[in-house]
């Protein structure tokens, strides 16, 4: 009886794993299609292959899964409408994420808001800047400060 119970339990576990794998693939495929559509909607469809390659390489280099990288990139490209700028900002988001322990999607969201002028969300990252300084600085000045305190953190996290 124990032997047959083990076989039944094993078959059920394999079936559940199969279902979970199919769901994960479907979600990943959906996220890739959504990002492609976003690029198309922004008139950046020509950049889609390069963006896919960038995200794939970044996943390999940092160990951060593409199911986090795609939504983070999408938030940035939607805000900036510049796919190259968004690539740089995603790298910055990865460094800040590794330094702070916050997930990259949340950090990308805060960077996108700061790009649009709302720097309130950056206070939590301990950048060494007051609220007044954040409000008075340009986005490029803020990025320099972020790079000063967090540059290279994603690589260290990937190597550890």
């Amino acid at each position: 009886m124990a032997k047959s119970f083990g076989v039944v339990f094993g078959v059920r576990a394999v079936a559940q794993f199969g279902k979970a794998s199919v769901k994960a693939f479907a979600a990943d495929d959906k996220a890739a299609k959504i990002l492609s559509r976003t690029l198309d909607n922004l008139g950046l469809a020509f950049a889609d292959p390069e963006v896919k390659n960038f995200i794939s390489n970044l996943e390999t280099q940092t160990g951060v899964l593409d199911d986090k990288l795609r939504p983070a990139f999408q938030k940035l490209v939607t805000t900036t409408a510049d796919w190259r700028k968004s690539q740089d900002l995603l790298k910055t988001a990865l460094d800040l994420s590794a330094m702070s322990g916050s997930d990259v999607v949340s950090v990308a969201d805060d960077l996108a808001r700061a790009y649009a002028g709302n720097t309130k969300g950056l206070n939590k990252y301990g950048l060494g800047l007051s609220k007044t300084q954040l409000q008075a600085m340009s986005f490029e000045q803020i990025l320099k400060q972020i790079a000063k305190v967090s540059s290279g953190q994603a690589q260290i996290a990937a190597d550890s």
Side-chain angles (χ1 to χ4, degrees):
M1 185 166 144
K3 188 177 182 181
S4 64
F5 178 73
V7 171
V8 169
F9 183 73
V11 170
R12 181 180 294 169
V14 169
Q16 287 174 341
F17 176 76
K19 287 180 184 178
S21 296
V22 168
K23 283 184 181 180
F25 176 79
D28 191 52
D29 186 53
K30 179 181 176 183
K33 287 179 180 177
I34 288 172
L35 179 56
S36 291
R37 177 55 57 108
T38 298
L39 290 170
D40 186 42
N41 290 345
L42 293 170
L44 302 171
F46 65 91
D48 191 37
E50 195 164 336
V51 168
K52 287 177 181 174
N53 189 42
F54 169 76
I55 288 175
S56 177
N57 289 338
L58 206 54
E59 179 181 29
T60 303
Q61 293 167 1
T62 63
V64 177
L65 297 177
D66 60 359
D67 62 343
K68 296 286 185 194
L69 295 173
R70 278 192 201 104
F73 184 83
Q74 182 171 342
K75 175 58 89 171
L76 294 166
V77 78
T78 300
T79 302
T80 66
D82 182 334
W83 64 281
R84 291 202 186 269
K85 176 79 170 171
S86 298
Q87 287 179 338
D88 291 338
L89 288 175
L90 183 55
K91 290 177 186 176
T92 300
L94 284 164
D95 282 335
L96 193 52
S97 170
M99 182 193 87
S100 68
S102 297
D103 82 280
V104 71
V105 178
S106 298
V107 175
D109 186 51
D110 289 334
L111 286 175
R113 290 173 193 259
Y115 182 86
N118 182 353
T119 59
K120 197 180 302 184
L122 297 178
N123 287 325
K124 63 185 162 208
Y125 299 112
L127 301 175
L129 299 171
S130 69
K131 290 179 185 180
T132 306
Q133 287 173 312
L134 280 170
Q135 291 173 348
M137 295 171 80
S138 71
F139 184 70
E140 294 304 319
Q141 291 171 319
I142 293 169
L143 283 180
K144 284 181 185 176
Q145 181 64 21
I146 291 171
K148 182 178 176 182
V149 299
S150 71
S151 184
Q153 295 288 337
Q155 190 61 51
I156 291 170
D159 292 342
S160 61

